[in-house]
Amino acid sequence: MHIRRLVSIVTSIILLDQATKALVMKQMSEGESIPIIDDLLSLTFVFNPGAAFGFLSSASEEFRIPFFFLISLVAMAVVLFIYFKGARENLLLQIGLSMVLGGAAGNLIDRILFKKVIDFIDVYYKHFHWPAFNVADSAITIGVFILIVDMVLTGRREKSEAG
């Protein structure tokens, strides 16, 4: 059952991520911004050659592309190892790891196809902008949050059982 959960979550995230990116690329031109909620949210089509917050975006392609490809593969392998090693009876851990894996795979697909990641969700207040992100980034963030909640709950459970 837990393998089906992994496959269904990862597949759903990849499909939603790639579908939204394809729609943005088809309907918008790079740099175009469509306000959704004034002074808060826009759809803004950008290519991000780096990682979160533009990390390594100015590094040479010869370094950046293999680096992010390798980091993505290692991260995905670690997530799968943890999933199969320790998530068998832990639903929160299964969901969190599956979301991280799906998000990592979604962005890796972009790096393979375009050598950059497509971002389009632009959250801001007046002139203060959070870096644009996408569905894959959202899945990773939510997955990490779930993993943190699981660690806190597991720690509390172990503490109450010990004391």
Side-chain angles (χ1 to χ4, degrees), residues 41-57:
L41 178 67
S42 292
L43 294 180
T44 303
F45 175 17
V46 295
F47 280 105
N48 179 1
F53 304 103
F55 177 69
L56 292 179
S57 60

Side-chain angles (χ1 to χ4, degrees), residues 116-133:
K116 301 173 185 175
V117 173
I118 299 159
D119 288 329
F120 59 90
I121 303 169
D122 184 15
V123 177
Y124 57 96
Y125 178 72
K126 301 205 184 272
H127 300 290
F128 303 100
H129 281 257
W130 188 258
F133 57 97

Side-chain angles (χ1 to χ4, degrees), residues 13-54:
I13 290 169
I14 291 170
L15 290 174
L16 181 61
D17 178 61
Q18 292 300 305
T20 55
K21 290 172 179 175
L23 186 62
V24 165
M25 288 194 328
K26 182 177 181 185
Q27 300 295 324
M28 299 176 71
S29 51
E30 186 178 358
E32 182 179 356
S33 188
I34 302 170
I36 305 297
I37 302 172
D38 287 339
D39 293 326
L40 185 62
L41 178 67
S42 292
L43 294 180
T44 303
F45 175 17
V46 295
F47 280 105
N48 179 1
F53 304 103

